[in-house]
């Protein structure tokens, strides 16, 4: 074989060896990056899960359990922060609990908490309904995430952070048929606003207690005032506080069904699927014949269960022709029922009660609803 040809073959073989070595190094580098990237993505998933859980748990703390006097926004905020840190600890990242800085938890108010384009306001006068939690793996908080193979290329660690925002509605301007097809837990009985305002101002009785552990009503004070839902006079002769939600000719059986099962999709169709205040903050509903002994068994059956009632400002007309001006909604539970005897002895005693509702329409007015909350959901 000629020397020149042999030389060329040896050089070509050497080039192949060099190229192969280069490709192997490149392949190993890509593999190293792939492993590290996969690890980073796994850590990000864990961090997002942690942020989600912390935000949801913290948002539930904004539900004020102090029905009579209310809890200060500062206390609610402190409780929410503590819950965010607690659930951050429960949901470990890289088998370790992360800590949150004071800046990692933002608690405030959105006029419509589900509209992520709106800012979260932190003014103390605004009712709290939104929590944003940031989980960090940075040089300043919890340390950066260490890498493995990428270190040979000079990349020792990676800074990561994940955010989650959870919210609940606290102000409702009305209701629409829930998307899950469930009924609205609204009683077809209206309470006058004067009586409701007196209760909020402390001018009411406290004779009954709801035992949340045993799930029953018993005699005695529990610090939550009560009022009589059975009207002693609505200003409408022949009408005793019952309203039509659904057909204008609701029968006794319809009302019994609504007491037990709530307002159905079919009922809502008579209102074009929506019960909502107009621009003046009012909703007009027809009156019915009124609360009677015919509903006693159904009212007894739902004792202690949370329900929503409409609050009316005024009523005009007589009997079935009465028209109620509804101005707000309230969460209550029935504590006592007595629908026999003279009118001044009849009573359906209710006390304020937190109720989680579906199908609520957001309102910017803080006086459009009381003791009512939507379920907490992740919005970001």
């Amino acid at each position: 074989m000629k020397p020149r040809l042999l030389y060329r073959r040896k050089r070509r073989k050497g080039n192949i060896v060099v190229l192969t070595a280069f490709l192997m190094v490149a392949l190993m580098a890509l593999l190293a990056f792939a492993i590290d990237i996969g690890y980073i993505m796994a850590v990000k998933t864990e961090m997002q899960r942690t942020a989600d859980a912390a935000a949801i748990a913290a948002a539930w703390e904004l539900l004020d359990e102090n029905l009579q006097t209310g809890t200060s926004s500062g206390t609610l905020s402190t409780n929410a922060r503590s819950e965010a840190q607690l659930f951050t600890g429960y949901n470990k990242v890289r088998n370790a609990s992360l800590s949150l800085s004071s800046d990692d938890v933002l608690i405030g108010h959105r006029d419509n908490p589900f509209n992520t384009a709106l800012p979260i306001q932190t003014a103390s006068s605004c009712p709290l309904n939104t929590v944003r939690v940031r989980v960090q793996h940075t040089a300043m908080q919890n340390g950066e995430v260490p890498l493995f193979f990428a270190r040979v290329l000079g990349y020792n660690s990676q800074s990561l952070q994940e955010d989650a925002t959870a919210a609940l509605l606290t102000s409702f301007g009305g209701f629409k048929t829930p998307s899950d097809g469930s009924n609205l837990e609204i009683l077809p009985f209206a309470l006058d606003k004067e009586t409701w305002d007196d209760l909020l101002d402390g001018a009411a009785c406290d004779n009954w207690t709801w035992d949340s552990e045993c799930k029953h009503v018993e005699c005695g004070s529990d610090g939550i005032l009560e009022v009589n839902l059975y009207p002693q006079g609505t200003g409408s002769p022949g009408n005793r506080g019952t309203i039509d939600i659904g057909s204008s000719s609701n029968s006794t059986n319809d009302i019994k069904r609504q007491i037990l099962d709530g307002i159905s999709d079919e009922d809502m169709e008579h209102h074009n699927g929506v019960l909502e205040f107009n621009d003046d903050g009012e909703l007009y509903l027809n009156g019915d014949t009124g609360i009677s002994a015919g509903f006693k068994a159904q009212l007894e059956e739902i004792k202690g269960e949370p329900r929503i009632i409409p609050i009316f400002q005024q009523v005009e007309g007589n009997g079935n022709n009465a028209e109620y001006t509804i101005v707000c909604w309230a969460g209550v539970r029935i504590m006592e029922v007595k629908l026999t005897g003279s009118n001044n002895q009849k009573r359906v005693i209710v006390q304020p009660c937190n109720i989680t509702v579906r199908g609520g329409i957001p309102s910017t007015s803080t006086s459009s609803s009381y003791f009512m909350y939507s379920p907490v959901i992740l919005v970001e």
Side-chain angles (χ1 to χ4, degrees):
M1 183 177 297
K2 295 181 179 180
R4 182 176 296 180
L5 180 60
L6 180 61
Y7 170 76
R8 287 178 178 175
R9 287 182 177 179
K10 287 182 178 180
R11 189 174 63 176
R12 185 179 302 167
K13 185 177 180 180
N15 290 341
I16 293 174
V17 171
V18 171
L19 179 60
T20 301
F22 174 79
L23 291 175
M24 288 296 293
V25 171
L27 183 60
M28 290 298 292
L30 290 173
L31 180 60
F33 272 115
I35 293 173
D36 280 335
I37 288 173
Y39 177 64
I40 289 172
M41 295 306 297
V43 173
K44 284 174 65 68
T45 299
E46 287 186 340
M47 292 176 66
Q48 187 63 66
R49 176 207 62 200
T50 300
D52 291 349
I56 290 172
W60 275 116
E61 290 299 308
L62 303 182
L63 195 159
D64 191 352
E65 298 288 353
N66 193 338
L67 298 176
Q68 207 56 58
T69 60
T71 305
S72 70
S73 60
T75 299
L76 291 175
S77 181
T78 297
N79 294 342
R81 288 180 182 279
S82 297
E83 199 73 357
Q85 181 61 75
L86 183 65
F87 274 76
T88 299
Y90 287 157
N91 293 271
K92 296 182 178 181
V93 178
R94 299 175 53 244
N95 293 320
S97 297
L98 302 184
S99 62
L100 301 175
S101 71
S102 59
D103 294 332
D104 285 334
V105 183
L106 176 63
I107 302 170
H109 172 85
R110 272 180 175 157
D111 288 341
N112 180 352
F114 305 145
N115 183 352
T116 58
L118 297 176
I120 299 176
Q121 306 171 47
T122 56
S124 59
S125 59
C126 297
L128 303 176
N129 62 11
T130 305
V131 178
R132 176 179 294 157
V133 174
R134 177 180 61 193
V135 176
Q136 297 189 71
H137 248 313
T138 65
M140 298 296 294
Q141 189 74 20
N142 299 307
E144 294 187 342
V145 178
L147 300 177
F148 301 102
F149 300 101
R151 292 183 178 184
V152 299
L153 300 175
Y155 298 98
N156 296 321
S157 60
Q158 177 65 47
S159 178
L160 299 174
Q161 75 173 45
E162 297 296 330
D163 300 83
T165 303
L168 73 166
L169 285 176
T170 57
S171 298
F172 298 85
F175 301 89
K176 58 184 177 182
T177 302
S179 58
D180 62 2
S182 60
N183 289 354
L184 295 167
E185 295 181 317
I186 302 175
L187 287 176
F189 305 131
L191 178 68
D192 65 283
K193 192 171 188 298
E194 182 179 357
T195 299
W196 179 254
D197 288 343
D198 285 345
L199 180 145
L200 296 179
D201 291 338
C205 299
D206 181 12
N207 299 318
W208 300 93
T209 295
W210 167 246
D211 189 325
S212 58
E213 292 186 3
C214 299
K215 304 296 182 184
H216 68 78
V217 176
E218 52 190 43
C219 292
S221 171
D222 62 359
I224 304 175
L225 301 182
E226 302 127 8
V227 293
N228 187 3
L229 183 59
Y230 187 89
Q232 301 306 310
T234 64
S236 173
N239 187 279
R240 302 302 304 174
T242 307
I243 57 173
D244 281 326
I245 301 179
S247 170
S248 59
S249 59
N250 271 358
S251 66
T252 298
N253 286 335
D254 287 325
I255 296 175
K256 288 179 177 180
R257 170 182 57 79
Q258 291 178 345
I259 292 172
L260 293 176
D261 302 327
I263 306 302
S264 67
D265 180 45
E266 184 177 350
D267 293 326
M268 291 293 287
E269 287 179 0
H270 292 276
H271 305 276
N272 296 318
V274 176
L275 292 170
E276 185 176 13
F277 298 135
N278 60 23
D279 292 339
D280 296 323
E282 298 176 342
L283 170 67
Y284 305 106
L285 293 174
N286 292 333
D288 212 326
T289 53
I291 301 174
S292 71
F295 310 140
K296 184 177 185 298
Q298 288 71 35
L299 292 171
E300 288 278 3
E301 189 170 339
I302 65 166
K303 261 188 181 181
E305 297 180 12
R307 290 292 191 273
I308 300 163
I309 59 170
I311 308 294
F312 71 92
Q313 182 72 60
Q314 65 179 21
V315 57
E316 298 179 345
N318 302 328
N320 286 341
N321 294 320
E323 183 180 70
Y324 283 79
T325 302
I326 309 301
V327 293
C328 61
W329 310 91
V332 300
R333 62 164 49 98
I334 293 174
M335 307 298 285
E336 184 199 13
V337 178
K338 186 181 186 303
L339 293 175
T340 57
S342 60
N343 276 344
N344 61 6
Q345 293 180 324
K346 294 178 181 180
R347 54 190 179 269
V348 178
I349 304 299
V350 298
Q351 70 172 200
C353 169
N354 280 334
I355 179 170
T356 305
V357 301
R358 291 171 173 79
I361 299 172
S363 170
T364 57
S365 171
T366 57
S367 61
S368 62
S369 62
Y370 298 87
F371 311 113
M372 293 163 47
Y373 301 83
S374 72
V376 172
I377 67 167
L378 285 171
V379 295
E380 290 181 281

